[in-house]
Amino acid sequence: MTGLVVDGLSFSYGRKQALRDVSFRVEPGRFCALLGPNGAGKSTLFALLTRLFTTRTGRIQIMGHDLARTPRKALAQIGVVFQQPTLDLDLTVQANLTYFAALQGLCGRDARRRIAAALDRLDMGERARERVRDLNGGHRRRTEIARCLLHDPAVLLLDEPTVGLDAASRAAITRHVHDLSENNGKTILWTTHLSDEVRDSDQLVILNHGQVRTDGTCATLRGAQPLADYFQRQSKAPTCAAA
């Protein structure tokens, strides 16, 4: 069963075509980076994948569930980290995760066990009692990733999760999420415009002007054609980070 399938997806804002016949698939256990400049259509695609937007043109399947026909079953399979922070700054890390767990129908000993495990995975266990307001940007992002893991989703959608973070925090979070795909079998879709967050072995979907320009492994695409062709807004070709 394929983790994520996007087939013939199109979307317009009035007369402006944001996405045009976008198709790709991500297998379970794969880290797929959706790479493209600002305005390429990445956030629109992410909104469709999370059902913030809907369209009649095209199809989305999540772990075999059609998002349009069986949205509850499809959405139950995903964990989401949005580009904009969504934590309650005045609650502790533990309280934020407890609240989210309750929304997922998790409570009591099971919820506490899942929260502890998720925080430990992200090296956040010692900060469980700290207010989110007192955390730095990197630790807030780790908290959001821990939160999206509580209901054990098969597919993780992360929309530019490292925006505004320093290089060390970006590297640590990217490493953690790669580990989730490699060692836990999670299907990852990671939207970014920063090519150094992508490893040679990762799947790479390049989106520009609302269309998929190419789809393959980073190492293969880097050797086949200069990626600068797809980035008119950047002054030089991006390179993929080594695995």
Side-chain angles (χ1 to χ4, degrees), residues 32-79:
C32 176
L34 182 67
L35 194 65
N38 292 331
K42 301 189 305 296
S43 292
T44 298
L45 175 58
F46 193 89
L48 289 167
L49 291 171
T50 54
R51 206 167 167 76
L52 294 175
F53 295 167
T54 60
T55 179
R56 295 182 179 180
T57 307
R59 177 174 61 101
I60 298 171
Q61 281 191 339
I62 301 170
M63 295 302 292
H65 301 292
D66 189 289
L67 185 57
R69 296 179 179 178
T70 55
R72 288 190 178 184
K73 291 182 178 180
L75 293 173
Q77 297 292 328
I78 67 172

Side-chain angles (χ1 to χ4, degrees), residues 10-20 38-41 44 53 209-210 233:
S10 296
F11 186 84
S12 296
Y13 297 97
R15 295 183 179 180
K16 180 181 179 181
Q17 187 89 35
L19 296 175
R20 187 188 303 274
N38 292 331
T44 298
F53 295 167
H209 296 297
R233 297 185 183 184

Side-chain angles (χ1 to χ4, degrees), residues 97-119:
L97 270 59
T98 299
Y99 176 73
F100 180 81
L103 294 177
Q104 296 293 327
L106 304 171
C107 59
R109 182 178 300 176
D110 184 36
R112 291 192 295 272
R113 177 184 60 79
R114 290 172 182 250
I115 290 170
L119 289 176

Side-chain angles (χ1 to χ4, degrees), residues 57-230:
T57 307
R59 177 174 61 101
I60 298 171
Q61 281 191 339
I62 301 170
M63 295 302 292
H65 301 292
D66 189 289
L67 185 57
R69 296 179 179 178
T70 55
R72 288 190 178 184
K73 291 182 178 180
L75 293 173
Q77 297 292 328
I78 67 172
V80 184
V81 175
F82 291 99
Q83 183 176 343
Q84 296 298 324
T86 57
L87 297 169
D88 189 318
L89 298 181
D90 293 319
L91 295 180
T92 65
V93 170
Q94 180 81 25
N96 267 279
L97 270 59
T98 299
Y99 176 73
F100 180 81
L103 294 177
Q104 296 293 327
L106 304 171
C107 59
R109 182 178 300 176
D110 184 36
R112 291 192 295 272
R113 177 184 60 79
R114 290 172 182 250
I115 290 170
L119 289 176
D120 285 345
R121 171 173 290 281
L122 275 298
D123 297 328
M124 287 290 294
E126 295 182 354
R127 300 185 181 275
R129 302 298 178 184
E130 294 184 24
R131 286 196 318 166
V132 170
R133 186 180 300 279
D134 298 327
L135 301 178
N136 62 34
H139 288 142
R140 292 183 188 184
R141 274 308 196 195
R142 293 192 195 192
T143 301
E144 290 190 288
I145 295 172
R147 181 182 62 182
C148 85
L149 294 172
L150 292 181
H151 60 297
D152 195 26
V155 179
L156 301 183
L157 307 177
L158 302 100
D159 188 14
E160 300 193 22
T162 61
V163 166
L165 302 183
D166 59 76
S169 295
R170 287 203 302 114
I173 289 173
T174 304
R175 183 172 62 252
H176 279 300
V177 177
H178 273 94
D179 181 69
L180 288 170
S181 65
E182 294 170 1
N183 298 319
N184 294 86
K186 303 294 186 184
T187 302
I188 308 293
L189 183 65
W190 174 285
T191 71
T192 184
H193 63 276
L194 301 171
S195 58
D196 63 350
E197 296 179 351
V198 187
R199 298 179 179 177
D200 278 352
S201 58
D202 292 338
Q203 180 179 351
L204 179 62
V205 174
I206 298 174
L207 190 68
N208 200 12
H209 296 297
Q211 294 180 290
V212 173
R213 301 300 182 175
T214 193
D215 179 3
T217 64
C218 183
T220 300
L221 295 176
R222 181 176 59 182
Q225 186 176 2
L227 299 183
D229 293 350
Y230 306 117

